[in-house]
């Protein structure tokens, strides 16, 4: 798809904001520290079609107001000793771009993640020194039909998914002329940011060990070379309930959640589609929100990363041959490990590391080396409960929302489907040779 960039602006806070250096927590500085893309598509009726100039003016004005409250986003990161990062709150601003394309929204089909859509997202130039690189990029692309795409690339070193959506929701409220709903809480010392180590970890932290390799391989280099492909697989509310009913057969405890069941289903189907040997070790990486798990809980408007990774592991033969309840139980057991003590142990583990680089997914910043979580492994993130849908900047709600395009084998996000109907969408990246088999197993397993 050909997209032409027309204009760009550096948007700064509308008023003076706090200026100074902020220490980042260990949750901020590990795993993905690059920019995370998301995109929203809007379709307008001909009678209410706003001009691009009015849309841009609304976005610029409201964003400038939003940055007064969410001022860390207008700052810059800085490397310090031990491959650690700190945040310079200097009001340098964010980048807003205007673009256009001759394509129509209908040309995009079901909006499945694809390299063809890359031009709809802001391009982040990681050759720029990190202390000059904006933390937020926004791109508005106008289609020939009058519809628009509004995409974001936001630094994962500053916010996780919940905080990013919190910012977008508040920005949209300001764009509609409404007041700020909740003032963000910026003190990262709630997660001991910048503090020296005071203890050693008290738990085993498998998430920091190298993930399993395919049997017979001594490295993941060959797997990294394989072509990948994205898919958006939809589950109706009825299909989700069918999976839950299937998983809860033989379950002696409380009913399995949608996330536990769908994640277990994805893990089984991925193992089958990849054609693993029975004894193949496989890891499932799960992200757990610790805001309400910490003692005391974090403030509701905490603005930053508050995610801890945990590993469910097994062998593919067990994952594929045993009942879905067995796999869902393994997912639940991993999630239940994450207590306040476990989260603090994770922080202790990282604080005792002289260098964090081997725990950072920083390919775009420094090199192509680093942990590989593709075949035979998987990472499944839940966005089910996030306020993803209904993002209205004053011209109505989106017709579709999607995570950004990327190429990492094994990445998977579970999203809510249409607003309020109980459906889900699974956005997954797999090696191209495994995609058709995965789709086949994904829907066959629900019916049987």
């Amino acid at each position: 798809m050909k997209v032409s960039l027309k204009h760009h602006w550096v948007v700064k806070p509308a008023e003076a904001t706090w200026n100074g250096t902020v220490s980042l927590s260990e949750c901020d500085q590990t795993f993905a520290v690059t920019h995370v893309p998301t995109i929203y598509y809007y379709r307008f009726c001909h009678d209410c079609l706003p001009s691009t100039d009015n849309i841009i003016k609304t976005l610029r004005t409201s964003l400038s107001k939003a940055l007064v409250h969410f001022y860390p986003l207008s700052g810059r990161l800085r490397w310090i000793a031990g491959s650690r990062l700190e945040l310079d709150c200097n009001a340098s601003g964010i980048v807003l771009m205007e673009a256009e394309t001759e394509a129509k929204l209908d040309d995009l089909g079901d909006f499945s993640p694809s390299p063809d859509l890359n031009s709809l997202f802001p391009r982040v130039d990681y050759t720029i020194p990190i202390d000059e690189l904006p933390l937020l990029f926004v791109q508005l692309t106008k289609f020939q039909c009058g519809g628009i795409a509004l995409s974001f690339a936001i630094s994962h070193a500053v916010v996780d998914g919940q905080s990013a959506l919190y910012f977008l929701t508040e920005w949209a409220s300001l764009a509609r002329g409404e007041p700020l709903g909740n003032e963000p809480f910026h003190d990262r010392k709630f997660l001991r940011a910048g503090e020296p180590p005071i203890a050693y970890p008290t738990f085993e932290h498998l998430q920091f060990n190298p993930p399993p390799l395919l049997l017979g391989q001594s490295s993941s280099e060959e797997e990294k070379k394989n072509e990948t492909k994205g898919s958006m697989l939809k589950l109706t509310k009825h299909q989700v309930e069918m999976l839950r009913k299937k998983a809860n057969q033989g379950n002696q405890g409380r009913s399995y959640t949608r996330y536990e069941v769908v994640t277990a289903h994805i893990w089984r189907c991925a193992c089958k589609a990849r054609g693993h040997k029975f004894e193949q070790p496989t890891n499932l990486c799960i992200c757990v929100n610790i805001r309400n798990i910490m003692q005391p809980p974090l403030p509701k408007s905490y603005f930053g990363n508050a995610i801890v990774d945990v590993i469910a592991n097994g062998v593919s033969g067990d994952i594929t041959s045993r009942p879905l309840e067995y796999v869902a139980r393994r997912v639940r057991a991993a999630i239940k490990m994450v207590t306040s003590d476990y989260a603090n142990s994770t922080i202790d583990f990282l604080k005792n590391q002289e260098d964090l680089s081997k725990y950072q997914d920083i390919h775009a910043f420094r090199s192509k080396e680093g942990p590989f979580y593709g075949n035979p492994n998987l990472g499944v993130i839940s966005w089910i409960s996030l306020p993803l849908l209904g993002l209205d900047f004053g011209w109505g709600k989106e017709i579709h929302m999607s995570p950004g395009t990327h190429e990492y084998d094994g990445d998977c996000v579970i999203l809510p489907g249409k607003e309020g109907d109980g459906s889900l969408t699974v956005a997954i990246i797999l090696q191209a040779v495994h995609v058709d088999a995965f789709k086949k197993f994904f829907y066959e397993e629900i019916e049987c």
Side-chain angles (χ1 to χ4, degrees):
M1 179 185 302
K2 184 178 180 181
V3 173
S4 302
L5 290 175
K6 310 301 289 184
H7 304 284
H8 81 276
W9 300 268
V10 174
V11 181
K12 298 184 178 183
E15 304 171 13
T17 58
W18 182 84
N19 190 293
T21 301
V22 172
S23 296
L24 297 181
S25 75
E26 277 61 34
C27 293
D28 295 317
Q29 301 182 71
T30 49
F31 297 104
V33 294
T34 49
H35 291 68
V36 176
T38 52
I39 191 166
Y40 287 78
Y41 298 93
Y42 298 85
R43 192 191 304 273
F44 301 109
C45 64
H46 289 292
D47 294 335
C48 59
L49 184 66
S51 72
T52 306
D53 287 345
N54 286 339
I55 292 176
I56 285 291
K57 183 179 179 180
T58 297
L59 291 176
R60 288 180 65 186
T61 302
S62 57
L63 178 55
S64 185
K65 292 178 181 178
L67 289 175
V68 173
H69 306 278
F70 294 88
Y71 60 85
L73 286 176
S74 60
R76 296 294 184 267
L77 294 171
R78 181 190 300 132
W79 289 113
I80 56 176
S83 294
R84 285 171 162 80
L85 290 163
E86 62 183 12
L87 177 59
D88 183 12
C89 294
N90 57 13
S92 291
I94 69 94
V95 174
L96 171 64
M97 292 172 281
E98 179 188 357
E100 63 182 20
T101 178
E102 294 182 359
K104 300 177 182 179
L105 280 175
D106 290 340
D107 296 336
L108 274 56
D110 65 354
F111 302 100
S112 290
S114 165
D116 294 337
L117 304 183
N118 282 348
S119 55
L120 295 176
F121 291 87
R123 178 179 174 271
V124 183
D125 183 1
Y126 289 109
T127 65
I128 295 174
I130 196 171
D131 57 358
E132 299 176 14
L133 188 66
L135 302 177
L136 173 63
F137 294 83
V138 181
Q139 179 174 323
L140 170 75
T141 305
K142 183 175 181 180
F143 288 79
Q144 189 184 45
C145 60
I148 63 169
L150 190 60
S151 59
F152 314 93
I154 190 166
S155 173
H156 208 322
V158 180
V159 293
D160 58 13
Q162 180 160 325
S163 288
L165 267 297
Y166 167 34
F167 162 71
L168 293 180
T169 300
E170 294 290 2
W171 174 17
S173 293
L174 293 174
R176 297 194 304 271
E178 300 173 7
L180 191 79
N182 294 288
E183 196 70 36
F185 187 88
H186 294 300
D187 188 355
R188 299 180 189 229
K189 291 190 181 299
F190 266 65
L191 289 177
R192 297 155 54 193
E195 296 178 5
I198 57 173
Y200 289 99
T202 53
F203 289 80
E204 182 181 14
H205 292 284
L206 298 178
Q207 70 269 38
F208 299 119
N209 292 345
L213 300 170
L214 278 178
L215 294 175
Q217 294 190 3
S218 58
S219 78
S220 59
E221 290 308 307
E222 290 304 312
E223 292 303 300
K224 289 180 182 179
K225 296 176 184 177
N226 292 320
E227 178 189 357
T228 57
K229 183 179 179 182
S231 301
M232 298 280 280
L233 305 178
K234 298 180 180 180
L235 290 171
T236 65
K237 180 179 180 180
H238 176 67
Q239 289 172 320
V240 174
E241 290 306 314
M242 287 178 67
L243 279 174
R244 290 189 70 187
K245 182 178 180 180
K246 185 176 180 181
N248 281 299
Q249 292 175 355
N251 176 26
Q252 301 300 313
R254 63 177 173 83
S255 178
Y256 289 113
T257 66
R258 292 186 297 170
Y259 174 77
E260 290 167 341
V261 168
V262 175
T263 298
H265 178 59
I266 294 167
W267 196 10
R268 294 178 90 221
C269 294
C271 289
K272 288 184 176 183
R274 287 165 164 173
H276 292 160
K277 296 178 180 178
F278 188 99
E279 64 273 20
Q280 172 66 57
T282 173
N283 277 7
L284 171 71
C285 185
I286 300 167
C287 297
V288 179
N289 184 344
I290 60 172
R291 285 169 171 79
N292 294 325
I293 291 174
M294 298 300 292
Q295 296 297 328
L298 300 185
K300 289 184 178 180
S301 58
Y302 182 84
F303 191 66
N305 283 275
I307 297 292
V308 166
D309 287 352
V310 67
I311 298 295
N313 55 19
V315 295
S316 285
D318 281 338
I319 301 300
T320 57
S321 65
R322 301 187 69 170
L324 185 61
E325 191 276 333
Y326 167 82
V327 188
R329 193 174 353 123
R330 297 191 75 85
V331 174
R332 171 174 289 181
I335 295 171
K336 287 182 68 174
M337 285 179 57
V338 184
T339 61
S340 183
D341 287 342
Y342 181 91
N344 277 304
S345 177
T346 301
I347 294 171
D348 289 330
F349 176 94
L350 293 167
K351 283 187 176 295
N352 280 283
Q353 304 301 310
E354 291 186 7
D355 191 301
L356 286 184
S357 61
K358 63 181 177 181
Y359 306 115
Q360 294 169 330
D361 184 0
I362 53 177
H363 307 319
F365 281 122
R366 294 182 174 175
S367 73
K368 293 295 183 182
E369 298 182 1
F372 175 71
Y373 300 101
N375 191 15
N377 309 299
L378 200 64
V380 181
I381 298 171
S382 174
W383 285 4
I384 296 174
S385 61
L386 295 184
L388 291 166
L389 306 178
L391 192 64
D392 181 2
F393 286 86
W395 49 76
K397 298 178 181 181
E398 76 285 346
I399 60 167
H400 184 79
M401 177 272 169
S402 174
T405 58
H406 50 84
E407 300 174 354
Y408 301 131
D409 177 27
D411 280 3
C412 182
V413 181
I414 306 175
L415 309 121
K418 292 183 179 179
E419 191 172 12
D421 73 350
S423 64
L424 297 175
T425 299
V426 174
I428 187 168
I429 308 293
L430 293 170
Q431 291 177 20
V433 295
H434 299 144
V435 169
D436 288 344
F438 180 85
K439 290 180 179 179
K440 175 177 177 289
F441 292 128
F442 187 82
Y443 288 110
E444 279 184 356
E445 292 279 315
I446 297 173
E447 303 299 332
C448 65

